[in-house]
Amino acid sequence: MLHSDLAGFSVLPVDYAMNSSTSAVAEKSVDSLIKTIRIPPRPSLLADVQDELAGSDPDPRRLSGLIANDVSLSASLLKLANSPFYGLRLKATSVEHAVQLIGMRQCGLVLTGIIARQSVQTEKMPLEQFWDFSTKRAQAMSYLASRMRVCPPDVAHTFGLFCDIGIPLLMERFDDYQETLNLAAEARELRFTEIEQDRHSTSHTSIGALMARTWGLPEQVTAAILLHHDYRALDDSATDDMVRALIALCVVAEFSIHKYYGRENQAEWDKGGAAACEYLGISHDELEDYFEELHDIFSQVQ
């Protein structure tokens, strides 16, 4: 049985963490390793935004005031709000106007992604391509979630941005992590995270889940980050339905991006594609229709 939530979740792989006779020693070693990996703390601005949204009477003006204090964040929010992705009939002319147009909750989740992009840096990996892929995945998942009605689009968007956030963090920690990524991407039998665990005693899903929890992201997003390469979750009724929906949407969204760039021979699709489509209840013809729609979106949003 897979984890249905993250109460006391372990950074050990699911199967291994269940072996109590060995996991105590292993987890102590992993805990020592984790301390050498820099997980960005939650920025104070993000904490202020989340506190405002979690309050009993969140105020759009107070939220706008918090955002407006950061020039870079304000510019990024306006750019995204006015992008073809949102398709707003009116153009946002100020931060307060943007908050009104896209809504406070959506605005808060969008800001979380913008702040993550500013906070996660590494000199060992050019992150432009990483964030381009993450942004497309978030857009695709949000669109698919709205069409299929399997989970809230804003939650899908947040997961799409954050699900691989552990990759640049591990890239910064391990000099040979790029080699690990190459091996894991081509693995046909082993799970992606098994390759990482074997070489580094941790995985980008574990580190990403730790960062998500530290940053106060929704519980289902954190759990889905931890499990998104373990496709057994799609068949496990003990796993939260929204978590399974996020994992399934991620598989479809990522394959659509690879097809958009002409890369169709993807090991992850071979391992999880059929299970994802079955969980979402979509046929091959419906899948192709979704791909066509998503590619139109990718072409418009550059």
Side-chain angles (χ1 to χ4, degrees):
M1 181 179 295
L2 299 176
H3 298 277
S4 59
D5 55 45
L6 276 197
F9 90 95
S10 170
V11 293
L12 293 171
V14 174
D15 293 335
Y16 192 33
M18 291 182 181
N19 186 342
S20 59
S21 63
T22 60
S23 63
V25 174
E27 189 149 13
K28 183 177 180 180
S29 175
V30 171
D31 286 344
S32 298
L33 169 65
I34 296 302
K35 293 177 181 178
T36 70
I37 299 172
R38 190 189 76 84
I39 297 178
R42 180 173 60 165
S44 59
L45 175 58
L46 178 59
D48 291 341
V49 168
Q50 291 174 334
D51 287 345
E52 179 63 36
L53 293 173
S56 58
D57 185 26
D59 188 331
R61 291 187 177 182
R62 285 199 299 266
L63 178 62
S64 301
L66 290 171
I67 301 167
N69 287 330
D70 188 304
V71 176
S72 176
L73 192 62
S74 299
S76 297
L77 175 62
L78 284 170
K79 180 179 179 180
L80 185 57
N82 289 327
S83 71
F85 173 64
Y86 280 101
L88 299 175
R89 289 184 297 174
L90 297 176
K91 292 294 183 181
T93 57
S94 66
V95 169
E96 185 172 352
H97 194 201
V99 172
Q100 292 173 348
L101 289 174
I102 68 176
M104 291 185 67
R105 176 176 169 81
Q106 178 68 18
C107 185
L109 293 173
V110 167
L111 289 173
T112 304
I114 295 172
I115 293 172
R117 189 164 187 158
Q118 295 174 346
S119 301
V120 176
Q121 303 291 333
T122 175
E123 296 179 357
K124 298 181 179 179
M125 176 185 181
L127 292 184
E128 182 176 347
Q129 185 176 357
F130 172 83
W131 284 115
D132 175 71
F133 190 93
S134 297
T135 299
K136 282 185 169 60
R137 178 174 54 220
Q139 293 166 346
M141 289 187 64
S142 177
Y143 178 80
L144 291 172
S146 66
R147 289 291 308 276
M148 299 181 191
R149 302 182 183 276
V150 291
C151 70
D154 52 1
V155 175
H157 190 275
T158 299
F159 173 79
L161 280 176
F162 275 86
C163 75
D164 282 340
I165 199 68
I167 286 179
L169 302 181
L170 291 182
M171 185 71 71
E172 182 69 16
R173 171 60 179 82
F174 299 107
D175 291 335
D176 61 343
Y177 187 67
Q178 182 61 60
E179 181 181 349
T180 301
L181 283 181
N182 296 339
L183 291 171
E186 296 297 326
R188 297 284 173 177
E189 301 297 330
L190 296 175
R191 291 193 296 276
F192 194 107
T193 51
E194 288 179 310
I195 305 293
E196 294 177 304
Q197 290 283 353
D198 182 60
R199 291 171 61 88
H200 306 297
S201 299
T202 190
S203 67
H204 77 284
T205 59
S206 296
I207 299 303
L210 284 174
M211 179 172 167
R213 187 171 65 173
T214 299
W215 280 39
L217 298 190
E219 179 182 299
Q220 291 92 341
V221 170
T222 306
I225 290 173
L226 183 66
L227 295 173
H228 75 271
H229 282 289
D230 193 344
Y231 304 121
R232 297 172 301 174
L234 295 173
D235 297 320
D236 185 69
S237 60
T239 301
D240 186 278
D241 286 341
M242 190 182 298
V243 172
R244 290 195 285 171
L246 290 172
I247 295 171
L249 290 173
C250 181
V251 177
V252 174
E254 289 195 348
F255 191 53
S256 75
I257 299 170
H258 289 303
K259 284 178 68 71
Y260 179 72
Y261 287 115
R263 304 188 298 261
E264 296 192 30
N265 185 27
Q266 295 295 315
E268 290 303 304
W269 177 255
D270 292 341
K271 286 184 281 190
C277 290
E278 182 176 355
Y279 180 82
L280 295 171
I282 54 177
S283 66
H284 176 77
D285 289 342
E286 290 172 319
L287 186 67
E288 291 300 323
D289 289 341
Y290 283 130
F291 287 160
E292 185 175 343
E293 294 167 10
L294 289 173
H295 292 176
D296 286 341
I297 293 174
F298 296 155
S299 298
Q300 295 174 32
V301 184
Q302 297 294 341

